[in-house]
């Protein structure tokens, strides 16, 4: 399974500073630039959460269905993501 990290337009992976988060699964991670915020907008519209604050995090299953959606900062996000990922 792949994890896509869509950074705001103009923000490079180097500027993002992924190394701050420790070792990440390199072969699993896909780094992308969200040109004009289109990806964020599509995710928010599909989940009926227009105007959702950053960061927007979504997990889709192998059929493309969104099984997890989060918007805004949340201290328990890592634990919730781990729980959902292990269920897929």
């Amino acid at each position: 399974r792949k994890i896509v990290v869509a950074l705001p337009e103009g923000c490079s992976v180097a500027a993002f500073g992924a190394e701050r988060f420790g070792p990440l699964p390199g072969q699993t991670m896909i780094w992308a630039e969200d040109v004009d915020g289109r990806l964020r907008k599509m995710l928010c519209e599909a989940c009926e959460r227009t105007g959702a604050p950053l960061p927007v995090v979504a997990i889709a299953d192998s059929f493309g269905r969104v099984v997890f959606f989060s918007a805004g900062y949340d201290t328990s996000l890592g634990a919730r993501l781990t729980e959902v990922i292990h269920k897929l």
Side-chain angles (χ1 to χ4, degrees), residues 22-68:
L24 297 172
Q27 295 179 351
T28 302
M29 304 296 288
I30 298 173
W31 298 91
E33 184 177 350
D34 188 10
V35 178
D36 295 329
R38 288 184 283 195
L39 177 59
R40 175 180 174 228
K41 182 179 178 188
M42 287 183 345
L43 282 171
C44 290
E45 286 176 356
C47 295
E48 299 178 359
R49 298 281 303 271
T50 56
L54 292 173
V56 171
V57 178
I59 297 177
D61 64 13
S62 58
F63 297 102
R65 299 176 294 209
V66 175
V67 296
F68 176 86

Side-chain angles (χ1 to χ4, degrees), residues 11 25 64 73:
C11 180
Y73 292 100

